[in-house]
Amino acid sequence: MIPRRTSQPTNASNDSVVQDERPYRRDLKSFYGLENEDPDAGNPCNIDGAHFQPETYLSKLIQEKSLTDLMDEEQKMVREIRGLDSDMQTLVYENYNKFISATDTIRKMKNDFRKMEDEMDHLASNMSAITDFSASISATLQDRRQQITKLVGVHSLLKKLQFLFELPARLNKCIEMEAYVQAVRYYTKAQRVLHQYEHMPSFEAIHRDCETIIKQLCCKLREKFKQKESTAKQLTECVDLLLQLGEPAESLCQEFLSHARHKLDEDLEELDRQIKLYIGETTPGTEQRPSQAYVTSGMDVLDFVDLGCNGFLSNICLVIASYNDMFLNRPQADESLDTIALRKLVIFVNELMEQYFSFVRKRVQLEKETGDNTILVRALDRFHRRLQAMNKLLPDTDFSRAGTEIVSRGAKDRVAHYLQSLKQHFADCLTDIRQSLASPRLVGKQDHKARLSDLLGNIQTSVVEQIKSVLINLQAFIASDITFAMKPYFRGPFCSQDVREGLIVAFIKHVCSVCNDFCEVSGDKTMTPPTLLLILSKFCIDLENATISYLLSLAEEQFMVEDKTSVTTMTELFALAKETGQRLLNHYVRFQGLTISQMLRKSVETRDWLNTIEPRNVRAVMKRVVEDITVIDMQVGQLYEEGIRKERSSDSSRRTHALSSAAQQSRRQQWNYAPSVDNSLMSNIQKLFSEKIEIFSAVEFSKVSVLTGIVKISLKTFLECVRLRTFGKYGIQQIQVDTHYLQLYLWRFVSDENLVQVLLDEIVCSAVHRCVDPTMMEPSVIDLICERG
């Protein structure tokens, strides 16, 4: 292997192989466009380059590489040669069918071109024969050509003259047959010739007769134009013929619109009649169409809109389209005529559309108290769609704005109706609560009257469910298949202003307003039940805590409210609800406090405290006060939590008479040792160092705070009434017994028992100041009387 590689004959044979392969390699590179891709193509040692030199390449290999490298290079080169041979052989095999097909195509082309040459020779011979024949004909007719041309012209002129002479008869025949289009075509065809030659006597008579006939034709067209039973197609034909006859377009515009108005007025009258039927107004003497004679009651809003769309809107669209074709889309010599015609049409359409909008607006307003939205929304959608088509027909007008106003007004009326129904529902809920509170208890069934918490839960659930039902019904206005629902000028204001503000926020404000009205003090004896005030106060607090945020979030989610720049915030509504709940609770406390105070006032004012007998029992009014406060405690406890109390002392039941005894001892010392000092002055000095009690302070939302407020008002009234009376020996002792009894039970209802202690002590002290014989009862006797009674 090695001697063959190094010998000269071997090198020569290899050089011949490489030289033989180089053209194929160049051809392959040229075919695949790879000739300029090798940057080292000019290197004589580049075996793939065009300037490859075998001797240089071989000498370089021998100098640079070892024997092992030379053997490897030989094997590599042999593999590349075999690969190239295999690739070239594959290429030949793959393109063999193409070579055969190309050969057949070339052979067929040769045959086809041979036949084409024969046909071209035949065509050339035919063209030569035709040329010779034409030359012979031209030579034969050369002398008669001018004569024939003259005769043809005379024949044509005679035919025209014959047509002109027969034109009056033709016109009369067409008028008799009512072929007005044919008559106008005959006249317009000959009109220019008649005007051109009317100075000639023979043509003057023809022209005069034609003019007379055409005047009669114009009169007949105008009569047909004024007939009520003429269709729009016939009107269009009449106007077109009159315009061709040279009638003034401006007067025709007015006549066409006046005639079209009769039909449109009938459509509007029918809409007005349907509205009157719907509201129950009888229209005797109104001429009904045969198709409408069976209608005895007004149709629903969808049928009403269909009647308007298929009747009035369709007819006015047809009038506009016909008017455009007759007066606006025709080629006019005077551009000012187009402006006048367009202005007449716009005024005509705007006037009629304003009447139509008024009828639709009136009919839609009648739907604000119906229960279902589906028919109304479909009717408004159909109405909105037809108006969009009207804008395309008459671009100089914009009826979509008025239509959108009607649609928005209809949606707003529906929201207002639902708001009114929610207000009525809330009033019904309040009535139900009043009835439940006023229902008498049956003997043996103490829980016959509904618990306050159940009544509160019922009104909350009922109101929320009613609002959710209303929101579901209103979603029909923003359905995806409704055209106007996709318009931002409707969807945005409807969702944010109508639904959120006009329904949810307005209802919440209405609830707060109604609740505030209960707090107004009136002289009427039929006052609000105090328990209702308590329930409503808790209802307002629940509105603030959860219901308001839930309802607003529900509305914003269902109606995708995005614009919140000019809406009422939740914080404002929270503050409103809390303020209303606070007013209700304050009013409840004052009402209950004044009720108990009234009993105490009457019990003090109706008794003779100077001449009363020695006390043996607790007065019944004190027992009634404790019982009423206990009932109030139970009612408030059903709605409000307990609240925070101050730490109680262990001897609460003993403090009243202890303090009273201390006060008596102190006053006796004052009377014994300082008779010149005013007793009221000493009492006022003592109050300066005691804690100030605010009677009508704001009440917190807890049971303890509510009861504390009621007890403060009651005891304060008791104190003021005591200050207005004069007591005897047994009168002051009765006050001791009553105050001790109150202390036994009232301290457990208030947040700070010291408050009760101070007020009761003031009552006893005030009674002592106003007693003619301040002899106090022993504490043991007081305890015995209170335990017994």
Side-chain angles (χ1 to χ4, degrees):
M1 188 68 176
I2 295 175
R4 186 177 61 84
R5 185 64 180 172
T6 55
S7 62
Q8 186 67 25
T10 302
N11 292 334
S13 61
N14 289 337
D15 292 340
S16 62
V17 171
V18 173
Q19 290 178 358
D20 292 339
E21 291 178 354
R22 230 176 288 155
Y24 298 109
R25 190 183 300 274
R26 282 198 304 269
D27 293 340
L28 289 174
K29 285 187 176 182
S30 176
F31 180 77
Y32 290 105
L34 302 176
E35 293 180 345
N36 298 326
E37 290 186 1
D38 190 2
D40 200 19
N43 187 3
C45 295
N46 183 11
I47 195 171
D48 295 326
H51 303 280
F52 175 68
Q53 295 181 4
E55 293 81 3
T56 306
Y57 176 72
L58 184 60
S59 60
K60 183 179 180 181
L61 286 178
I62 293 173
Q63 292 176 1
E64 295 179 356
K65 296 183 180 296
S66 62
L67 180 61
T68 303
D69 295 336
L70 290 175
M71 294 175 66
D72 294 339
E73 190 70 23
E74 178 196 12
Q75 293 178 1
K76 176 182 177 182
M77 192 173 296
V78 170
R79 287 194 301 270
E80 289 178 355
I81 293 172
R82 291 175 181 174
L84 290 174
D85 290 341
S86 177
D87 292 342
M88 185 169 59
Q89 194 174 25
T90 302
L91 183 63
V92 172
Y93 288 157
E94 289 177 353
N95 293 278
Y96 178 74
N97 291 331
K98 297 180 181 179
F99 295 153
I100 298 300
S101 177
T103 304
D104 295 338
T105 302
I106 293 172
R107 187 181 298 109
K108 185 177 179 180
M109 288 175 62
K110 289 182 178 180
N111 296 331
D112 293 340
F113 277 116
R114 189 177 296 111
K115 292 180 181 180
M116 189 178 295
E117 290 177 359
D118 297 338
E119 292 179 356
M120 291 297 294
D121 294 339
H122 182 66
L123 179 61
S125 61
N126 290 337
M127 290 297 295
S128 178
I130 291 172
T131 302
D132 296 339
F133 187 68
S134 176
S136 63
I137 292 175
S138 298
T140 304
L141 299 177
Q142 182 68 31
D143 298 334
R144 301 180 181 179
R145 177 179 299 172
Q146 295 179 355
Q147 185 178 0
I148 292 172
T149 303
K150 185 177 180 181
L151 292 175
V152 171
V154 171
H155 178 71
S156 176
L157 180 60
L158 290 175
K159 287 183 66 176
K160 292 180 180 179
L161 291 174
Q162 184 182 4
F163 177 79
L164 291 176
F165 287 131
E166 296 177 352
L167 182 59
R170 288 174 180 265
L171 293 178
N172 288 325
K173 186 67 174 177
C174 290
I175 292 175
E176 292 177 2
M177 298 175 59
E178 296 185 354
Y180 302 135
V181 177
Q182 188 71 21
V184 172
R185 185 161 61 246
Y186 286 158
Y187 178 74
T188 53
K189 183 177 180 181
Q191 185 178 12
R192 185 174 59 84
V193 178
L194 290 175
H195 281 290
Q196 183 177 359
Y197 297 102
E198 64 178 348
H199 61 280
M200 300 176 66
S202 57
F203 289 99
E204 182 181 0
I206 297 174
H207 182 263
R208 185 172 58 253
D209 294 341
C210 290
E211 290 292 332
T212 303
I213 296 172
I214 290 302
K215 289 181 180 179
Q216 297 177 0
L217 177 60
C218 290
C219 293
K220 288 184 176 292
L221 289 175
R222 288 183 179 275
E223 291 177 359
K224 188 176 181 180
F225 186 76
K226 296 178 180 179
Q227 294 176 359
K228 291 184 178 181
E229 59 271 10
S230 298
T231 63
K233 183 178 180 181
Q234 292 174 343
L235 292 178
T236 304
E237 181 180 303
C238 290
V239 172
D240 184 56
L241 295 177
L242 289 172
L243 289 174
Q244 292 183 33
L245 294 176
E247 292 294 320
E250 185 175 355
S251 63
L252 288 177
C253 292
Q254 192 62 40
E255 291 183 14
F256 177 79
L257 295 178
S258 299
H259 178 77
R261 190 182 183 91
H262 295 299
K263 172 68 174 174
L264 297 174
D265 286 340
E266 291 179 359
D267 295 331
L268 293 176
E269 290 174 359
E270 179 61 25
L271 295 177
D272 187 26
R273 190 181 74 86
Q274 291 297 330
I275 294 176
K276 292 179 179 178
L277 284 175
Y278 186 82
I279 61 180
E281 293 184 7
T282 57
T283 55
T286 304
E287 183 180 356
Q288 296 183 2
R289 300 180 185 179
S291 60
Q292 300 294 334
Y294 68 93
V295 181
T296 58
S297 62
M299 55 183 63
D300 61 25
V301 66
L302 182 59
D303 293 335
F304 180 85
V305 171
D306 285 339
L307 177 64
C309 292
N310 299 330
F312 174 78
L313 285 183
S314 297
N315 290 331
I316 199 172
C317 287
L318 186 59
V319 169
I320 294 172
S322 302
Y323 190 92
N324 289 334
D325 293 337
M326 289 184 294
F327 301 107
L328 299 179
N329 297 334
R330 295 171 62 92
Q332 300 286 347
D334 188 4
E335 295 183 356
S336 62
L337 183 61
D338 287 345
T339 305
I340 296 174
L342 181 60
R343 186 175 67 253
K344 288 180 178 294
L345 178 62
V346 171
I347 295 174
F348 171 80
V349 173
N350 285 337
E351 183 179 353
L352 290 174
M353 289 298 294
E354 185 61 32
Q355 298 182 32
Y356 173 67
F357 286 147
S358 66
F359 290 135
V360 174
R361 192 179 295 112
K362 185 184 300 183
R363 182 62 183 86
V364 170
Q365 287 177 353
L366 295 175
E367 291 293 311
K368 62 184 179 181
E369 296 184 358
T370 57
D372 190 12
N373 290 330
T374 306
I375 295 179
L376 176 61
V377 172
R378 288 175 57 193
L380 293 176
D381 181 57
R382 196 164 300 176
F383 170 73
H384 186 268
R385 289 173 185 265
R386 290 301 297 267
L387 288 183
Q388 300 296 323
M390 280 281 297
N391 286 337
K392 296 179 181 179
L393 192 62
L394 194 61
D396 292 334
T397 58
D398 185 13
F399 300 117
S400 60
R401 181 176 302 176
T404 303
E405 187 272 333
I406 293 176
V407 172
S408 301
R409 183 73 257 175
K412 191 181 295 292
D413 289 341
R414 292 301 297 165
V415 173
H417 164 66
Y418 281 124
L419 176 61
Q420 190 61 34
S421 65
L422 288 176
K423 292 179 180 179
Q424 184 60 41
H425 179 75
F426 182 69
D428 295 339
C429 291
L430 295 182
T431 303
D432 294 339
I433 293 177
R434 283 175 177 259
Q435 292 177 353
S436 299
L437 296 175
S439 60
R441 293 186 181 180
L442 298 179
V443 179
K445 295 184 178 179
Q446 298 297 325
D447 53 351
H448 169 70
K449 187 180 294 186
R451 290 176 55 86
L452 302 186
S453 58
D454 295 337
L455 295 178
L456 175 63
N458 291 337
I459 187 175
Q460 288 176 339
T461 304
S462 179
V463 169
V464 171
E465 291 300 324
Q466 191 73 10
I467 293 176
K468 291 170 66 176
S469 176
V470 168
L471 292 178
I472 292 175
N473 291 335
L474 287 176
Q475 284 184 353
F477 284 94
I478 58 170
S480 58
D481 58 339
I482 303 301
T483 305
F484 61 81
M486 301 296 107
K487 304 297 182 181
Y489 52 75
F490 170 82
R491 189 182 188 93
F494 174 74
C495 295
S496 62
Q497 297 301 321
D498 294 345
V499 176
R500 189 187 188 277
E501 294 294 306
L503 184 69
I504 305 299
V505 175
F507 177 69
I508 294 172
K509 291 182 178 179
H510 170 74
V511 170
C512 295
S513 176
V514 171
C515 293
N516 285 324
D517 291 340
F518 287 124
C519 299
E520 299 296 330
V521 179
S522 61
D524 191 2
K525 294 183 179 180
T526 59
M527 301 181 69
T528 305
T531 313
L532 179 61
L533 298 175
L534 187 64
I535 294 175
L536 290 179
S537 67
K538 181 60 176 175
F539 179 74
C540 292
I541 297 304
D542 290 341
L543 279 179
E544 179 207 3
N545 293 333
T547 309
I548 291 177
S549 59
Y550 171 74
L551 292 178
L552 289 180
S553 301
L554 183 65
E556 292 173 357
E557 178 182 355
Q558 291 184 355
F559 290 85
M560 293 177 288
V561 178
E562 298 178 355
D563 185 13
K564 299 182 181 180
T565 55
S566 59
V567 298
T568 306
T569 62
M570 288 189 183
T571 306
E572 296 175 3
L573 295 178
F574 291 161
L576 178 62
K578 185 175 182 180
E579 180 184 357
T580 304
Q582 186 70 61
R583 287 194 63 189
L584 286 168
L585 198 58
N586 292 343
H587 189 65
Y588 172 78
V589 170
R590 294 180 183 180
F591 186 91
Q592 295 286 42
L594 293 176
T595 302
I596 297 176
S597 298
Q598 188 73 8
M599 292 190 300
L600 293 172
R601 184 179 65 82
K602 289 182 179 180
S603 68
V604 174
E605 293 177 351
T606 57
R607 192 178 184 92
D608 185 5
W609 294 98
L610 282 173
N611 302 316
T612 185
I613 62 175
E614 184 178 359
R616 292 290 183 265
N617 295 302
V618 179
R619 289 191 301 154
V621 66
M622 299 302 162
K623 299 178 182 179
R624 177 67 183 276
V625 168
V626 174
E627 290 176 359
D628 289 352
I629 293 179
T630 304
V631 172
I632 294 173
D633 180 74
M634 294 174 58
Q635 293 176 348
V636 177
Q638 295 183 36
L639 300 177
Y640 288 99
E641 297 180 355
E642 181 70 20
I644 302 175
R645 297 178 184 270
K646 290 187 178 180
E647 185 178 358
R648 299 173 181 173
S649 62
S650 59
D651 56 346
S652 298
S653 62
R654 299 292 179 181
R655 288 192 174 185
T656 301
H657 51 75
L659 290 172
S660 301
S661 301
Q664 179 186 14
Q665 184 179 2
S666 173
R667 285 168 178 76
R668 285 178 177 175
Q669 292 176 359
Q670 292 173 8
W671 296 332
N672 294 331
Y673 300 104
S676 61
V677 181
D678 189 5
N679 293 332
S680 61
L681 179 60
M682 295 300 296
S683 177
N684 291 333
I685 293 173
Q686 184 179 2
K687 288 181 181 180
L688 292 175
F689 297 96
S690 62
E691 183 179 358
K692 182 179 179 181
I693 300 175
E694 187 177 356
I695 303 300
F696 295 99
S697 60
V699 183
E700 298 179 358
F701 299 104
S702 63
K703 185 179 74 171
V704 172
S705 180
V706 172
L707 270 296
T708 301
I710 296 173
V711 170
K712 285 193 299 183
I713 295 174
S714 303
L715 296 182
K716 182 64 175 178
T717 303
F718 191 13
L719 173 62
E720 297 300 325
C721 292
V722 167
R723 288 176 177 175
L724 299 176
R725 310 299 294 178
T726 302
F727 296 88
K729 173 183 176 182
Y730 296 125
I732 189 65
Q733 292 180 359
Q734 185 66 55
I735 292 296
Q736 278 187 282
V737 173
D738 292 343
T739 53
H740 181 66
Y741 181 82
L742 293 178
Q743 173 58 32
L744 289 175
Y745 296 98
L746 294 186
W747 64 270
R748 67 192 68 186
F749 297 117
V750 298
S751 58
D752 186 6
E753 59 180 308
N754 292 328
L755 184 145
V756 176
Q757 305 284 353
V758 171
L759 288 175
L760 291 176
D761 186 56
E762 282 192 40
I763 293 172
V764 175
C765 291
S766 296
V768 170
H769 282 300
R770 290 157 182 81
C771 182
V772 296
D773 185 12
T775 303
M776 310 302 291
M777 183 177 287
E778 292 294 329
S780 59
V781 179
I782 295 175
D783 290 337
L784 181 62
I785 294 174
C786 291
E787 290 175 0
R788 186 178 58 190

